[in-house]
Every structure is written in structure tokens, then in C-alpha cells.
Amino acid sequence: GRKTANGETYNMNAWTAAHKTLPFGTRVRVTNTRNGDTVDVRINDRGPFIAGRIIDLSRAAAADIGVTSTGVAPVKITILGKG
């Protein structure tokens, strides 16, 4: 029930993500470089604030690319556009 940086209520089952600088509403494709799985997400929060990490995915998005067991993975981000 906590609010994201853009004011939405966080939903772990939505395909959303946090990024430090991309504008809210930006759609990005995240590719897990270990297995090639991809997921498209919308930026709605700020973070992660841990050195070496570039994006923080919702639980649903992480599950789609096989990151739930490890929690972290090397990824490639492709900007798809706004909204």
C-alpha cells in the first residue's frame, strides 16, 4: 500500500519498475542477459539506490524474466518510448 515516487500505490503484480533518472511513464524492455527472457515495464518510481544496480522491477516483472529466485541479474534496458 505504499506510494511510489509518482504517487501511485505500489502494486507488486503490475509490470512496473524504478529507475534513477528515466521520466515517469517511460516504457522500457528489460532483458535478462543470462537467459534472454524479456519483459516490458513502465517506470513509476525512483531507485534503486544500491551501487551497481540500474533498475528495480516489480515482483511480476522479475518473475517474467526469471529473477525471483536470485533477486538480481545482469540486464539490458531498451527504451521503448513514453506511455
Side-chain angles (χ1 to χ4, degrees):
R2 295 187 326 178
K3 299 285 184 186
T4 63
N6 76 345
E8 294 177 16
T9 300
Y10 174 69
N11 179 355
M12 69 180 183
N13 297 311
W15 285 267
T16 58
H19 190 274
K20 291 178 192 170
T21 59
L22 288 173
F24 295 134
T26 301
R27 299 206 49 83
V28 297
R29 177 164 292 145
V30 181
T31 304
N32 180 339
T33 60
R34 287 188 181 141
N35 62 18
D37 289 347
T38 64
V39 65
D40 294 349
V41 297
R42 180 178 50 86
I43 303 299
N44 73 336
D45 204 1
R46 291 290 172 232
F49 299 106
I50 299 171
R53 297 189 187 173
I54 58 172
I55 197 164
D56 189 4
L57 300 175
S58 67
R59 185 175 187 157
D64 278 0
I65 63 169
V67 182
T68 51
S69 62
T70 61
V72 294
V75 298
K76 174 185 164 189
I77 296 176
T78 305
I79 297 173
L80 301 175
K82 181 82 170 162

